[in-house]
Amino acid sequence: MVNVGNFWQYLAVQSSLSGEQYNSTHSAMAVSTYTLPKLPYAYDALEPSISAQIMELHHSKHHQTYVTNLNKAMQSLADAVASSDVPNQIALQAAIKFNGGGHINHSLFWQNLSPASSADAQPAAAPGLVAEVEKTWGSLDQFRDTFSAALLGIQGSGWGWLVKEKTGLRIITTKDQDPPVAGEVPIFGVDMWEHAYYLQYLNGKAAYVENIWKVINWKTAEERFQGSREDAFKVLRAVL
């Protein structure tokens, strides 16, 4: 489960608020408007691993819906705070968590993909990360097998993540649109909702997982591994 307190703080941080401003926002709730981030590649750039049709629908429809509904929920929350409507403030947290999580997860996801023909899609672009992966799992192949098994083990909808914690690297899965906001640094994530693959792979989740490795952006993964949590989430600050 996502810690709602952390998620509130995350939204405040992404709005470039200081702690003092955050406290006043919790009572006055100035509203930030979130926007759909542009992709760093064309819709057909990840073919054949991910089709142009899926990319266009996934980005322009599904992700846009999360952004639209997040903005609506945040405005409703501001109204509820202004009117001291505590029951409605509580009721809105589910919508903010779900749609805010969808916005966070997809914004990270687009950036951690790259055309297979790019040098960024080669593990050689992430020497530090690969060294730590090999230290943790024994080999890059063993890591891929372990991560893939975690993805295929997700029941229903969710995400798989490689994250950096204080103790090292770890593979985690999150349910539905729960985002990785518990303090870890997301290195890369894989969307296991059916809308991410069904039009192309039907019920062949294993083939989708096999092919997603061909378009992982290892350069971005290395930057997140070497950087801080704030560095990983910089893409979200750019679309406020």
Side-chain angles (χ1 to χ4, degrees), residues 18-236:
S18 67
E20 182 176 316
Q21 289 173 306
Y22 169 67
N23 291 332
S24 66
T25 298
H26 227 52
S27 59
M29 280 310 292
V31 180
S32 295
T33 299
Y34 297 86
T35 59
L36 183 70
K38 294 181 179 179
L39 294 183
Y41 38 72
Y43 284 135
D44 64 356
L46 304 182
E47 290 187 335
S49 293
I50 306 177
S51 71
Q53 181 187 30
I54 285 179
M55 286 299 300
E56 183 171 5
L57 287 171
H58 198 173
H59 176 254
S60 68
K61 302 299 183 183
H62 289 282
H63 190 172
Q64 179 63 67
T65 297
Y66 293 124
V67 172
T68 299
N69 289 337
L70 174 60
N71 286 329
K72 289 180 179 178
M74 292 298 287
Q75 182 59 60
S76 295
L77 180 65
D79 295 342
V81 170
S83 62
S84 299
D85 184 349
V86 175
N88 199 31
Q89 292 175 45
I90 295 171
L92 285 163
Q93 290 185 19
I96 293 170
K97 174 184 169 184
F98 181 77
N99 292 292
H103 181 39
I104 291 170
N105 292 340
H106 286 88
S107 296
L108 292 169
F109 182 55
W110 307 134
Q111 295 291 327
N112 71 222
L113 298 177
S114 176
S117 60
S118 170
D120 296 349
Q122 302 302 315
L129 173 59
V130 169
E132 188 65 20
V133 162
E134 292 174 342
K135 176 182 174 182
T136 305
W137 283 278
S139 69
L140 187 57
D141 286 343
Q142 183 60 44
F143 161 69
R144 284 172 173 158
D145 290 345
T146 304
F147 194 99
S148 295
L151 293 175
L152 294 173
I154 294 172
Q155 296 182 343
S157 301
W159 291 74
W161 298 94
L162 174 65
V163 300
K164 181 179 71 172
E165 300 176 321
K166 291 181 179 180
T167 56
L169 296 176
R170 188 160 72 98
I171 295 168
I172 65 171
T173 59
T174 55
K175 181 176 175 57
D176 296 328
Q177 290 298 350
D178 287 1
V181 293
E184 64 276 283
V185 177
I187 305 302
F188 61 76
V190 175
D191 189 349
M192 292 303 293
W193 280 64
E194 284 191 345
H195 64 233
Y197 63 84
Y198 197 83
L199 285 176
Q200 182 175 357
Y201 293 96
L202 300 179
N203 64 336
K205 288 198 293 186
Y208 165 68
V209 170
E210 180 180 354
N211 286 327
I212 200 74
W213 289 108
K214 300 174 184 177
V215 291
I216 292 294
N217 190 324
W218 289 94
K219 180 181 178 182
T220 293
E222 176 77 0
E223 291 171 353
R224 292 177 181 172
F225 173 69
Q226 298 292 351
S228 67
R229 179 173 173 75
E230 288 71 27
D231 294 328
F233 287 113
K234 63 185 179 181
V235 62
L236 285 158

